[in-house]
Amino acid sequence: IVASHPHRRTSRTPPLCGGASAMRCTAVLVALAAGTPTVLAQRKPRVSPELHVSTLREVAHMHPDEFEPEVHFKLNPHKHERLNTELLELKAAKVARESGSVHKPKRVFRHAGKHEAKHEAAGLHLWYKATVPQEEYTALRGHASVNSVERVLNSTEARPLVEKIETSMKRKLHKSLRSRPAKEKTAEAEAEEKGQDERILAASPPTPEPTSFVMNDPLLSTQTHYMAVNIDQAWEVTAGDPSVIVQVIDSGIDEEHPDLQMNKWSNVDDCDGDGQDSDNNGYIDDCHGYNNADNSVSLEGDGSHGTHCAGTIAADSDNQIGVSGVAGGKNGLPGASLMINTVFGKANTDGFEDALVYGADNGAHISSNSWGYTVADVFPEATEEAIDYAIDAGVLVVFAAGNDGDNGLWYPGAHDPVIAVAAADDSGTAAYFTNYGDWIDITAPGVDVYSTYLLEDGEYGYMSGTSMACPHVSGILALGMSQGTLSMDSSMIMDCLYNTATDIDAVNSEEYHNGALGAGFTEVLSFVQCVKPPTVAPTISPVPTSTPTTSEPTSTFSPTTPAPSDSPTRSPTFNPTESPTTTPDLCFVIHMYDTWGDGWNGADFTWAQSSADSDMLVLQVDTLDDGSYGTDMLCVWWQDSVCYDFTLGSGSYDSEIYWNISHPLTEESWAGGGAPYGPVTLCGSDSMPPTDSPTMSPAPTPATWSPTSSEPTSSCPETCYGETCDFWDGQAGTLDGCDYDGNDLESYFGCYCGGCMCDGNSPTDSPTVSAVPTPAIVGAFTLSMVDSYGDGWNNAYYTWYQTDGLLGTPVVGTLESGSAGEETLIIFDAAACYSFDVSSGSYDYEISWDIADKEGNSLLSCPDGGGCAPGAWEYCPDGTTDAPTPVQPTMSPSETPAQVRLEMFDTYGDGWNGAVLTWALSDGSASQTATFDTGDYASQGLTLFQASACYQVTVSSGSYDYEISWEIQAWESGTPLLSGGAPVTDPLTLCFDMPNPTAAPTPTHEPTPTPTSLP
């Protein structure tokens, strides 16, 4: 069974160029292709690397009515623009106009509130959709959609702005509706069915005959499809649990149905009906889900299909009403929770991508999807990215295979990471309508399935289709996960599902053999037994306290032999007569990063005391549980151990992991790396790394610094080392610096300044501390950092150090993100001069900063307006400063045409209503104005009147300034140089450095652009 599924992808590693993802390697992707594969053993790529518009024309010719009057495109912004919503909307508007759309484009994925950062990391916020002109679509149908794509691809202005563009295709539900009573079986039919059952059993391994749990639902006897796969026997083990959330993306449900009341998922933070997005997830009052199609909280959509699927998964069971659900609960207890997302609405069919992402963002464990595209080999990239986003969030995404009786590639079911479900009757014989092929994962009952209907359609009834097989598998997965296995790796759950399936080749014709129906007919009892955790109670080993003792540990830490416990193995013992050391000498800071944003996925770090022999004391085992960033403290007790080991194990996605350990005050890096890593050893009492430990700091090399040490003047009694000496600066007990409020900085950062007045030398029988003495701190300044764009300093770093290099450690830092931040600059000698160097980053012209004393008096600054990197400045206590000329953004002669481009936008579409932009030389000797009177967009050139000159931009006020935006770009490349709204009363400045341009054409005509681009 496993061997028949070599194509199933088990990791998130993206495929290489070629195969089904060949077009990922092209600049612009059109995610459509035509044709049906003829060989089951080899999957046909859905997109050819040579794909062009003529291929779309062929699809439009064969299936003109299967195109939606809409195109989707993903922007390809410069890094600098990626999170600038205003600029993205401007560029999307340009692409939409070039496609022929007369309407403002909309985002494919709506703004997600608290989840928006995850969407930005995944690039979902870059997807937009534009409408195809209605008259053109009415006349040409699919060809009109292809025309819109072709116009963008042929546009010199729009094409560079898009990474991908595709037509939007129609979707359908995979069902055949039957509204009739339970079918009557003839004696011949029953005998034939009995024979088929016997053949299935003969092909299956023998299993003990279990007992069945009998639900008291009066219509259960009509649900013979449950007994066909032993769901009734699995109910003895579990019948579902509300902690398992199953999303149903379909036509909604009848919210008043009496058999669909107990198992509704509730978004408890937004069930107040106050018309507000109370939980900031991007949706208003989404108590039990959302109607994505009609943008409504009313979950009922078009027809009974979604109600039927939801009932199969988790209709209220064992409640003496109607039918049972696969995971609907028992004994009066609820089953799995149903999260409803309506995409086939009463008025619209839409929101599929948003719905998939909604489930991932709001905690769904399983997503059940009984829909697909109306044409084979069609799979738009926007939908694929939504599915992958959900899968990468840990969601098991289940899709119906489709009802076309075909062995082509029917998406989304044919997408590797999803679970594709084919349909069979109760005997395991493939349904005549089911799609099949080597992309199918599992087969489930899908013929004459009895479940809930809309009340207006009769409350209960039959349906057939792979749409009915899909919720069987979703419910079965919920049964397995209801046994406390939510944390189980999804690959292990899928292995259980596939490895316990029944081989049904014997009851099917040859075309359905060799994996064309996946692993076989799902077998539920064996599956839940496979994923069920062991029932034997684990033996819990004692866990030590977080504070070490002064005694030597007596047992060995063995990370390779974990105890059956939820916590990592830690089994050293302690001498109970010893008192623990309650205050650490120093706590380093570990910064933990995850590029995907879902934590370290099982990679744990260990912080332990080193030892010359095999014994060591584990002080801490932890991880980044969730998110993209977190910190923790790694504390040391020098009198207990002079060396400490850091080790990071392996998790599910090690390539996403980065960490860095730094000193809490100076932020000097000690070590850093990825996963797995170590062990790496820290010895001594300072943050200085040992010679054999790597220093991994992204900062540039600071100025040469040669610290000098001085012998402490006081001596130390023999008993001093056992007391509370800090050893942080080699001068225990001294006041190592105070903040503005007089608080001891050492105590604040976890160091203890009390105890004896001694240096760092310990008695001969104690560990030798090798550390570079740090001079006492006499004061501090405040550095305020500003970035005009709001995305940090983009790899520009500052270095602060005493100019003569005699005292103190250089402090290196940066503004990691955002538009402003502060840092403390330490002063070791009040009479010395200090240097402040700033290295070059990606966007130096955005950078400005100010250094002030504790009263707020500015001592050294590079003012607002940017251009404050790179350079070197110096501050001396006598008030003298030495600073370079601030750097302005420049263009070299070969990169600068005689004009730049001004793009003007109005969101309402009636021009700027009296607002006028003025472009002028800074000395006022020449100027030019720009505006437009109608429409939502206009563009013109702005003349560069002089070489090596600065220009100022102002915008007067009009009637509706809030509708106005503009952007000045490099002529050829479109690189943004300056942007804003209206009014602009304080002039914005843009400077250039070039020789005199040749005579520039008038601003109303486009010049011949120089064939080079701005950096």
Side-chain angles (χ1 to χ4, degrees):
I1 293 174
V2 175
S4 69
H5 285 267
H7 64 281
R8 303 315 303 178
R9 193 176 79 171
T10 58
S11 72
R12 291 184 295 183
T13 305
L16 298 176
C17 299
S21 296
M23 288 300 292
R24 293 180 187 273
C25 303
T26 64
V28 178
L29 185 144
V30 186
L32 297 173
T36 301
T38 57
V39 181
L40 288 177
Q42 182 176 358
R43 301 189 61 182
K44 174 188 171 185
R46 69 169 186 278
V47 180
S48 165
E50 296 79 26
L51 180 66
H52 46 79
V53 173
S54 62
T55 307
L56 285 174
R57 292 289 182 203
E58 294 176 9
V59 180
H61 178 73
M62 291 185 295
H63 308 285
D65 294 327
E66 306 309 323
F67 288 73
E68 296 282 6
E70 194 172 78
V71 294
H72 293 175
F73 58 90
K74 187 176 185 180
L75 295 175
N76 182 30
H78 299 283
K79 168 190 176 293
H80 201 49
E81 304 166 340
R82 189 175 177 87
L83 301 181
N84 188 317
T85 301
E86 184 179 80
L87 285 179
L88 293 178
E89 290 180 351
L90 294 178
K91 293 183 181 298
K94 179 184 291 186
V95 175
R97 281 193 302 273
E98 293 295 315
S99 75
S101 177
V102 295
H103 300 290
K104 181 180 179 180
K106 297 180 180 179
R107 281 177 45 160
V108 174
F109 301 91
R110 68 162 65 198
H111 194 282
K114 62 187 179 184
H115 304 296
E116 184 66 11
K118 293 188 292 185
H119 289 205
E120 291 172 348
L124 302 183
H125 69 301
L126 302 176
W127 278 101
Y128 285 82
K129 52 188 175 182
T131 57
V132 175
Q134 185 59 48
E135 292 183 2
E136 184 180 1
Y137 181 77
T138 301
L140 302 177
R141 311 304 289 174
H143 288 287
S145 299
V146 180
N147 289 346
S148 294
V149 171
E150 189 172 24
R151 282 190 284 264
V152 173
L153 295 178
N154 291 336
S155 169
T156 57
E157 291 192 359
R159 180 164 184 161
L161 302 180
V162 297
E163 175 186 343
K164 305 171 184 176
I165 183 167
E166 58 195 15
T167 55
S168 179
M169 306 300 293
K170 290 186 177 179
R171 301 166 174 91
K172 63 180 179 181
L173 294 167
H174 295 316
K175 55 90 179 182
S176 167
L177 181 63
R178 301 183 182 185
S179 179
R180 59 169 179 75
K183 65 179 182 180
E184 296 293 335
K185 296 182 181 178
T186 64
E188 292 79 11
E190 289 183 351
E192 173 66 17
E193 182 176 302
K194 182 175 184 294
Q196 291 172 335
D197 290 343
E198 290 172 349
R199 287 194 294 273
I200 293 174
L201 291 174
S204 307
T207 56
E209 183 66 28
T211 59
S212 299
F213 182 88
V214 180
M215 299 287 186
N216 61 19
D217 302 293
L219 297 178
L220 175 60
S221 60
T222 65
Q223 297 177 288
T224 57
H225 38 92
Y226 287 172
M227 294 65 176
V229 290
N230 292 333
I231 290 177
D232 55 328
Q233 296 173 359
W235 284 334
E236 281 288 332
V237 181
T238 178
D241 188 271
S243 64
V244 181
I245 302 171
V246 184
Q247 179 190 34
V248 186
I249 301 179
D250 211 287
S251 65
I253 63 168
D254 189 328
E255 296 179 81
E256 302 302 321
H257 199 292
D259 229 359
L260 293 171
Q261 299 302 310
M262 183 168 60
N263 292 329
K264 293 179 181 178
W265 169 75
S266 291
N267 180 16
V268 294
D269 293 330
D270 208 1
C271 283
D272 47 17
D274 62 354
Q276 304 293 324
D277 181 12
S278 303
D279 62 343
N280 188 31
N281 72 343
Y283 294 81
I284 295 173
D285 295 336
D286 55 320
C287 184
H288 303 301
Y290 200 74
N291 186 332
N292 300 83
D294 298 330
N295 195 26
S296 166
V297 295
S298 175
L299 299 180
E300 185 176 327
D302 181 22
S304 288
H305 188 274
T307 300
H308 194 278
C309 291
T312 298
I313 297 169
D316 299 347
S317 301
D318 207 25
N319 63 342
Q320 299 183 342
I321 298 175
V323 296
S324 300
V326 174
K330 65 181 181 181
N331 296 327
L333 298 176
S337 300
L338 293 172
M339 173 192 290
I340 306 301
N341 285 90
T342 307
V343 290
F344 295 91
K346 290 186 175 182
N348 303 290
T349 298
D350 200 3
F352 295 85
E353 293 82 10
D354 256 344
L356 286 157
V357 170
Y358 177 95
D361 286 340
N362 291 279
H365 300 103
I366 302 161
S367 180
S368 186
N369 298 264
S370 293
W371 56 271
Y373 292 97
T374 57
V375 180
D377 300 298
V378 164
F379 192 26
E381 280 277 304
T383 308
E384 181 177 2
E385 288 195 18
I387 293 172
D388 289 347
Y389 178 90
I391 290 171
D392 288 335
V395 183
L396 296 176
V397 180
V398 187
F399 267 93
N403 301 338
D404 306 276
D406 183 64
N407 65 349
L409 293 178
W410 291 87
Y411 290 91
H415 184 37
D416 275 348
V418 309
I419 302 165
V421 185
D425 62 19
D426 290 357
S427 70
T429 302
Y432 71 90
F433 50 75
T434 188
N435 290 338
Y436 58 98
D438 68 339
W439 51 274
I440 299 296
D441 289 299
I442 197 78
T443 300
V447 177
D448 292 338
V449 173
Y450 199 76
S451 186
T452 47
Y453 271 16
L454 293 176
L455 296 180
E456 63 187 48
D457 287 344
E459 196 169 359
Y460 301 96
Y462 286 96
M463 286 189 185
S464 294
T466 56
S467 278
M468 288 58 253
C470 174
H472 272 81
V473 172
S474 298
I476 291 165
L477 290 170
L479 285 180
M481 299 177 77
S482 295
Q483 303 178 90
T485 58
L486 289 178
S487 61
M488 179 182 287
D489 186 87
S490 60
S491 63
M492 297 176 64
I493 295 175
M494 300 319 301
D495 284 346
C496 282
L497 181 68
Y498 301 146
N499 293 339
T500 59
T502 302
D503 188 335
I504 50 176
D505 281 358
V507 295
N508 283 287
S509 58
E510 189 173 348
E511 64 180 323
Y512 297 112
H513 293 184
N514 300 317
L517 294 177
F521 207 35
T522 182
E523 210 294 320
V524 185
L525 176 62
S526 299
F527 167 68
V528 298
Q529 291 173 335
C530 177
V531 299
K532 184 179 181 182
T535 57
V536 178
T539 303
I540 308 297
S541 300
V543 179
T545 60
S546 59
T547 305
T549 70
T550 57
S551 63
E552 289 295 322
T554 58
S555 59
T556 304
F557 171 63
S558 303
T560 59
T561 311
S565 170
D566 291 337
S567 59
T569 304
R570 287 183 275 182
S571 56
T573 58
F574 299 91
N575 186 339
T577 61
E578 297 288 344
S579 300
T581 304
T582 57
T583 304
D585 293 299
L586 178 65
C587 292
F588 291 93
V589 181
I590 177 171
H591 303 267
M592 298 173 284
Y593 304 87
D594 183 86
T595 58
W596 184 260
D598 60 346
W600 279 5
N601 290 286
D604 292 336
F605 72 77
T606 302
W607 180 247
Q609 289 182 2
S610 292
S611 177
D613 54 28
S614 59
D615 293 339
M616 66 178 180
L617 177 64
V618 176
L619 305 177
Q620 188 174 353
V621 179
D622 214 334
T623 188
L624 177 63
D625 293 317
D626 197 9
S628 58
Y629 174 72
T631 61
D632 209 335
M633 306 301 290
L634 306 178
C635 295
V636 296
W637 292 260
W638 300 127
Q639 62 269 43
D640 289 340
S641 176
V642 74
C643 292
Y644 291 79
D645 286 341
F646 176 86
T647 306
L648 177 60
S650 182
S652 302
Y653 303 104
D654 293 340
S655 61
E656 301 169 359
I657 293 174
Y658 178 76
W659 55 272
N660 180 273
I661 299 174
S662 62
H663 193 283
L665 182 58
T666 67
E667 298 185 1
E668 184 179 2
S669 175
W670 168 61
Y677 197 94
V680 62
T681 302
L682 166 69
C683 295
S685 59
D686 199 277
S687 62
M688 300 297 293
T691 56
D692 59 348
S693 299
T695 300
M696 304 185 65
S697 173
T701 304
T704 302
W705 168 64
S706 302
T708 60
S709 60
S710 58
E711 292 295 327
T713 56
S714 59
S715 60
C716 216
E718 284 290 319
T719 57
C720 177
Y721 191 82
E723 297 182 21
T724 52
C725 295
D726 60 342
F727 295 104
W728 174 63
D729 62 356
Q731 300 179 42
T734 60
L735 187 63
D736 295 301
C738 300
D739 60 19
Y740 294 153
D741 298 323
N743 297 316
D744 183 352
L745 288 178
E746 277 208 358
S747 295
Y748 180 78
F749 285 104
C751 305
Y752 187 71
C753 288
C756 62
M757 298 293 292
C758 66
D759 61 18
N761 297 323
S762 60
T764 56
D765 58 349
S766 299
T768 301
V769 178
S770 56
V772 178
T774 302
I777 301 169
V778 300
F781 296 151
T782 299
L783 167 65
S784 300
M785 296 172 286
V786 176
D787 183 86
S788 60
Y789 189 77
D791 62 344
W793 278 11
N794 289 286
N795 296 318
Y797 290 87
Y798 70 80
T799 304
W800 171 260
Y801 58 98
Q802 191 167 314
T803 304
D804 58 19
L806 294 178
L807 294 173
T809 304
V811 177
V812 181
T814 188
L815 179 62
E816 296 284 355
S817 61
S819 59
E822 289 188 351
E823 293 288 351
T824 299
L825 304 179
I826 302 300
I827 302 299
F828 298 97
D829 185 347
C833 293
Y834 286 81
S835 294
F836 185 76
D837 299 347
V838 182
S839 66
S840 181
S842 303
Y843 302 99
D844 295 339
Y845 56 86
E846 300 168 357
I847 294 174
S848 57
W849 49 265
D850 178 80
I851 298 174
D853 62 17
K854 63 181 180 180
E855 284 79 26
N857 301 314
S858 180
L859 305 176
L860 197 63
S861 67
C862 187
D864 291 341
C868 294
W873 289 258
E874 185 177 70
Y875 166 78
C876 295
D878 60 5
T880 60
T881 59
D882 179 22
T885 303
V887 179
Q888 294 291 341
T890 63
M891 292 189 287
S892 65
S894 64
E895 296 172 319
T896 309
Q899 285 190 335
V900 290
R901 178 185 287 109
L902 169 66
E903 303 224 324
M904 298 172 285
F905 303 89
D906 183 85
T907 58
Y908 191 77
D910 60 346
W912 274 14
N913 291 285
V916 177
L917 181 144
T918 300
W919 167 260
L921 280 166
S922 295
D923 61 9
S925 61
S927 65
Q928 178 183 347
T929 60
T931 187
F932 70 114
D933 298 326
T934 185
D936 60 359
Y937 169 76
S939 176
Q940 72 175 65
L942 298 177
T943 302
L944 301 178
F945 300 104
Q946 292 182 8
S948 302
C950 291
Y951 294 79
Q952 292 187 332
V953 178
T954 58
V955 183
S956 65
S957 182
S959 302
Y960 301 100
D961 292 340
Y962 57 87
E963 301 170 357
I964 293 174
S965 59
W966 53 269
E967 180 179 89
I968 297 174
Q969 302 173 349
W971 187 266
E972 176 68 16
S973 67
T975 302
L977 304 176
L978 202 62
S979 63
V984 177
T985 55
D986 295 328
L988 301 175
T989 301
L990 189 61
C991 296
F992 301 93
D993 182 14
M994 62 180 182
N996 264 324
T998 57
T1002 58
T1004 56
H1005 296 81
E1006 294 186 354
T1008 301
T1010 303
T1012 53
S1013 60
L1014 293 175

